[in-house]
Amino acid sequence: MAFIKYSFALFFALSNAYALEARFSPKSCLDSSYKMKMVQRGPLFGLLKQEFVINKKNCLIHVTHQKYLPREWFVDVCREPVHIKVTSATGVDVAKKEVSCQNVDKTRDTSDFCSQFYVLMDVIQDDGLIFAEGDRDNLGSHHGKTYCTYLLLKKYLNESVIFSRYTEVPDIFIEPAQGSPTPANLLRPEPEVKKENPEARVEPTPSGPSESVTTL
């Protein structure tokens, strides 16, 4: 009887341990290498195909999206400075992060980096996370691969976290606290505004009619 109780206790302990470890870890997400492709019916009543591809090899993430025209983004989450490489008709353009995008309205003027950041994250959410199949906590599923990519890019591009495969990997599941300060090296210096000292103000002395001076 004691043996049966011990067996049940061991079974539940192992089950709970497995449940806790079911979600992939930040380390396994960063070290993983995979390629996934999703094809959906696109514009023109589905005549055009809409493709979403993630090709990841450790720190290197290559995202391809094709709706009307193909677009590609290359991000190395272990490389400084924080930047995005974007393919164009003329080659590869580099958008380097110079300001925080958290307080930048995406509908107004943005830097090249912020513009590419918003487009890339929208593509991953709208065409990846929404339609990917499987368990998002399982790196063997399309949903898990997309979710892992999304978390790494958000930490690197939005929070300026530089990863390394040879040191402890930060927790990618924790959201930053609201109102957390942006690193000083990512902010442009504000112009110094000189404030008027009210005590040093000199009242004008009454005088006769003012003279008008015209410069020819």
Side-chain angles (χ1 to χ4, degrees):
M1 190 69 177
F3 176 78
I4 296 177
K5 290 182 178 180
Y6 174 78
S7 299
F8 274 110
L10 179 61
F11 173 78
F12 283 114
L14 293 176
S15 299
N16 291 333
Y18 176 79
L20 292 175
E21 296 178 359
R23 184 174 70 178
F24 59 80
S25 67
K27 177 64 174 175
S28 63
C29 174
L30 180 64
D31 289 343
S32 61
S33 296
Y34 50 76
K35 182 176 182 179
M36 57 149 291
K37 180 178 180 180
M38 296 171 50
V39 181
Q40 305 176 55
R41 297 180 61 184
L44 299 178
F45 304 99
L47 296 178
L48 296 179
K49 292 183 179 180
Q50 184 168 306
E51 294 185 356
F52 172 73
V53 181
I54 297 177
N55 191 354
K56 180 182 180 298
K57 186 175 182 180
N58 306 133
C59 299
L60 301 175
I61 298 175
H62 176 199
V63 178
T64 304
H65 180 255
Q66 180 168 349
K67 188 172 184 179
Y68 297 102
L69 296 173
R71 292 182 292 182
E72 296 182 86
W73 297 270
F74 298 85
V75 180
D76 186 343
V77 297
C78 298
R79 185 182 293 269
E80 294 184 82
V82 177
H83 66 282
I84 307 173
K85 294 178 182 177
V86 187
T87 59
S88 64
T90 58
V92 179
D93 296 328
V94 178
K96 186 177 71 171
K97 184 172 185 178
E98 297 179 343
V99 297
S100 172
C101 298
Q102 295 180 357
N103 298 322
V104 176
D105 185 353
K106 67 172 66 177
T107 63
R108 303 183 64 181
D109 295 336
T110 62
S111 68
D112 291 338
F113 176 87
C114 292
S115 177
Q116 293 298 334
F117 166 71
Y118 283 128
V119 172
L120 174 58
M121 300 309 285
D122 284 344
V123 165
I124 293 177
Q125 292 181 66
D126 298 342
D127 292 338
L129 292 176
I130 292 178
F131 294 101
E133 296 181 352
D135 183 358
R136 77 169 189 173
D137 295 323
N138 181 3
L139 278 176
S141 70
H142 275 18
H143 197 176
K145 292 180 174 68
T146 307
Y147 187 49
C148 166
T149 302
Y150 173 74
L151 292 176
L152 290 176
L153 290 177
K154 189 165 63 170
K155 281 290 182 182
Y156 176 75
L157 299 175
N158 189 44
E159 301 178 38
S160 303
V161 174
I162 310 298
F163 292 91
S164 172
R165 297 180 58 207
Y166 307 101
T167 60
E168 183 178 355
V169 180
D171 194 337
I172 58 179
F173 301 100
I174 297 179
E175 293 290 338
Q178 294 293 330
S180 57
T182 304
N185 62 328
L186 300 177
L187 294 176
R188 290 177 178 170
E190 296 289 339
E192 182 179 356
V193 179
K194 294 184 179 180
K195 296 182 179 181
E196 183 181 1
N197 185 358
E199 297 180 356
R201 183 179 300 172
V202 179
E203 297 294 335
T205 304
S207 59
S210 59
E211 297 181 358
S212 176
V213 179
T214 303
T215 304
L216 300 180

